Amino acid sequence: MNRVATAGLPVKLHDIEQAAHTIARAVPHTPAHHSRTLSEIAGCEIFLKFENLHFTASFKERGALNKLSSLTDAERKRGIVACSAGNHAQGVAYHAGRLKIPATIVMPEGTPFNKVKHTRDFGATVELRGANFHEAVAAANVLVSERNLIMVHPFDDPKIIAGQGTLALEFLSQAPEIDTLVIPIGGGGLISGNSIAAKALRPDITIYGVQTKFYPSMYGAVKGEKVTCGGQSIAEGIAVKEPGHITRVIISALVSDILLVSEPEIERSIVTLLEVEKTVAEGAGAAAFAAVLANRKKFHGRKVGIVISGGNIDMRLLSNVILRELGREGRIQSLIIAIEDRPGFLAKVATIVSEAGGNILDVSHNRLFNNLSARSAELGMVIEARDVEHAGDIRKKLEQAGFAVR
Amino acid sequence: MNRVATAGLPVKLHDIEQAAHTIARAVPHTPAHHSRTLSEIAGCEIFLKFENLHFTASFKERGALNKLSSLTDAERKRGIVACSAGNHAQGVAYHAGRLKIPATIVMPEGTPFNKVKHTRDFGATVELRGANFHEAVAAANVLVSERNLIMVHPFDDPKIIAGQGTLALEFLSQAPEIDTLVIPIGGGGLISGNSIAAKALRPDITIYGVQTKFYPSMYGAVKGEKVTCGGQSIAEGIAVKEPGHITRVIISALVSDILLVSEPEIERSIVTLLEVEKTVAEGAGAAAFAAVLANRKKFHGRKVGIVISGGNIDMRLLSNVILRELGREGRIQSLIIAIEDRPGFLAKVATIVSEAGGNILDVSHNRLFNNLSARSAELGMVIEARDVEHAGDIRKKLEQAGFAVR
């Protein structure tokens, strides 16, 4: 299977081993470990690879440095260009800065200032071009010809793919018992490199890719299905409409299946990683664990290596994800209570809630729009309980006191 | 200094080395590393010890296991009792469960169900006693005599102190360049054990303790100052009113100073650790880095070892801390805008905000209580900007369009 599966592919194990040597000094190995608690939650043995702990907080440095290191002196002098508002931008800008290669990063207009600033701080020139990613890519291609720059593609490049593949070399030596790998897919660079390395070293390993239901582009390309891509996904890092051509071939050859995860599944995975592993994963970084949780039977009894590909998530978004998940778990509930519009009723309700051990987070009154009498009002209340049963208790106590609760 | 400083103290380096041997198989070494970005932020070299990555997410396992391992067979049969609703409870219950020692954990009534459940899941009996921690301790002491149990004190016990001290042995071998240690103080067990180990191995090392301004109990005890303790601190783990007696003596002998940090300083530290290090620290766990940020001059040019003592923070609290910090940074702002109470004004304001790149998080109308005319209203708007300058821009654009903004 080894020879057959990886023969003829544009990247070889040897390229990846060489990439590991190339990036060794400037990209420290990331930690990996078995998680007892996540294994219990998922019903299989879970091993985690913390790619969120790179200096720029994603795996992208591996490929970026391998590509930059492959440039000739003449090419380095010409300078490079990359199009990304995310992890690829950071990875390229950081290592180009280190290697003193002039770097231009094209980002779409309206990219949050923070991301622009981070990239500039590494010494790169940031050009804001185009209303969306598609237009920004076009603008970057114009710069390649206008300014004679070298394009550093985010995924469809053998040097990038070989660089990303160094992850599997590390992971399989840190956790040799792994028999299954689960890896997120955007353009497909990460899973391509890692599939080649892993299949070459362990022909029997099973590899699953993960995409979001909003952007099943590689899923469609590999299965020959027509799919639609679009929508605001929390997993920006893998919200890619156009999968790579090189990566598509590698994935078709080596990846067993591509699993699609929903937004709530990804959100739950982010919160679980935060609560149990004390680690911050971005949406794409939490997608692989989400896929395992959503496909328990498939993974039952397996020793599953999960790649947490990155940790760059906006803090307000993270705060929102936490609250939404608490709402889904029933720990935060929104109640609407019919009350008479006269003094004392809020106090009564608040007393019942607090005596039941609930915590009131928000209160609103609706006097205008309800089906009750003009002397009545609806009291909206957001309460926090210890868990979903406790929330039920609080509700029951209100009802026992004669309040109508919706 | 070595002999002089640690001579006569109730715990010796030898006890700590023996504790390291005792706990080696069941308490894996936690990671430690230099942080380039935090070093830049703090203006000194920062090394982090990730005690939040223990199985029960705090350092408490070290002392708990060392103490439990020291019990005779007869004592193990009698069983143990501990009083804690926090990390000590988890550490004791987990290792008692592993060693099959019957464990009773006393928690104050009203302890969140989650914490009770975690502790029961380890096989411990949880007794909810007393309205507060003080009363729970009294109840635990009653159990000691009534049921002939062995008390596992959270800090004032040489075996506990020796166990906690194993952290410094690891940390100084992982990061030998450290010349300063910053360690949170609740009852003082953690800093006591680590001060003895560190001073014995490196007589020139400087050790700082950290408490919150709300609970400066050890600060008061060591300096002979009268202090008041109280209030809701985010750093529950070090919100201790009665410092230990053994620990007090050790701290007086070995710790250079105790630094007091405010709640906002701790909150900011939690968010920085989350954003930069991708790691979840509880309040007490973030206190040491907060103290460095609040005392930059003191640490300038030093190689500072920071102990992130634990990572058990309620997710809703964490979400709140993030939002409060964004508010403090000016990224989230609450504006009050005077508008005329007729159709189109909200649309106008919302258009200006969105064209300026701001994101509207919440809107409220106040028609009743304002100093304007009855035809006017106040529009409350919570907006998110990219940063504080951007928030200023949005405000300016509203003012240029003729709106009065407060």
Side-chain angles (χ1 to χ4, degrees), chain B residues 27-244:
Chain B
V27 179
H29 287 197
T30 55
H33 64 236
H34 177 256
S35 169
R36 214 189 311 179
T37 309
L38 295 189
S39 298
E40 276 169 29
I41 292 172
C44 59
E45 292 309 310
I46 298 285
F47 299 82
L48 301 168
K49 179 70 169 162
F50 292 91
E51 292 290 292
N52 56 337
L53 299 182
H54 282 287
F55 182 59
T56 63
S58 95
F59 72 90
K60 290 283 189 182
E61 290 185 26
R62 298 175 181 275
L65 179 54
N66 193 47
K67 174 68 179 178
L68 294 173
S69 303
S70 76
L71 301 180
T72 63
D73 284 351
E75 286 171 328
R76 291 180 191 215
K77 267 186 199 139
R78 280 162 58 194
I80 60 99
V81 62
C83 180
S84 162
N87 294 335
H88 181 56
Q90 307 294 315
V92 170
Y94 168 53
H95 287 287
R98 278 185 51 249
L99 300 173
K100 311 223 179 336
I101 300 174
T104 305
I105 310 289
V106 180
M107 298 183 176
E109 289 154 14
T111 297
F113 180 72
N114 249 355
K115 295 192 176 183
V116 175
K117 188 176 176 301
H118 274 315
T119 311
R120 284 196 180 134
D121 286 349
F122 291 133
T125 305
V126 175
E127 306 248 3
L128 297 171
R129 302 272 179 109
N132 53 42
F133 189 71
H134 191 72
E135 288 183 27
V137 170
N141 283 325
V142 170
L143 291 184
V144 167
S145 43
E146 270 183 13
R147 303 187 192 166
N148 196 28
L149 301 174
I150 310 284
M151 173 65 86
V152 179
H153 195 279
F155 46 81
D156 226 9
D157 178 321
K159 290 286 174 193
I160 294 284
I161 292 170
Q164 318 302 28
T166 60
L167 187 165
L169 301 185
E170 281 172 34
F171 200 7
L172 291 177
S173 85
Q174 289 165 317
E177 52 272 74
I178 287 173
D179 59 29
T180 307
L181 277 175
V182 188
I183 300 175
I185 301 180
L190 180 65
I191 197 169
S192 292
N194 285 294
S195 296
I196 289 165
K199 281 283 188 186
L201 294 171
R202 307 277 177 84
D204 291 338
I205 206 164
T206 307
I207 300 166
Y208 291 101
V210 183
Q211 294 204 293
T212 74
K213 289 184 175 167
F214 281 1
Y215 291 86
S217 52
M218 186 64 84
Y219 177 97
V222 165
K223 305 213 172 196
E225 285 179 26
K226 236 191 136 123
V227 294
T228 50
C229 290
Q232 286 292 329
S233 172
I234 191 170
E236 294 168 64
I238 53 174
V240 172
K241 284 184 182 173
E242 271 297 321

Side-chain angles (χ1 to χ4, degrees), chain A residues 213 260-270 286 290 293-294:
Chain A
K213 289 185 174 165
L260 302 181
V261 289
S262 71
E263 297 297 308
E265 285 164 355
I266 298 173
E267 292 182 28
R268 167 156 299 181
S269 173
I270 291 174
L293 289 183

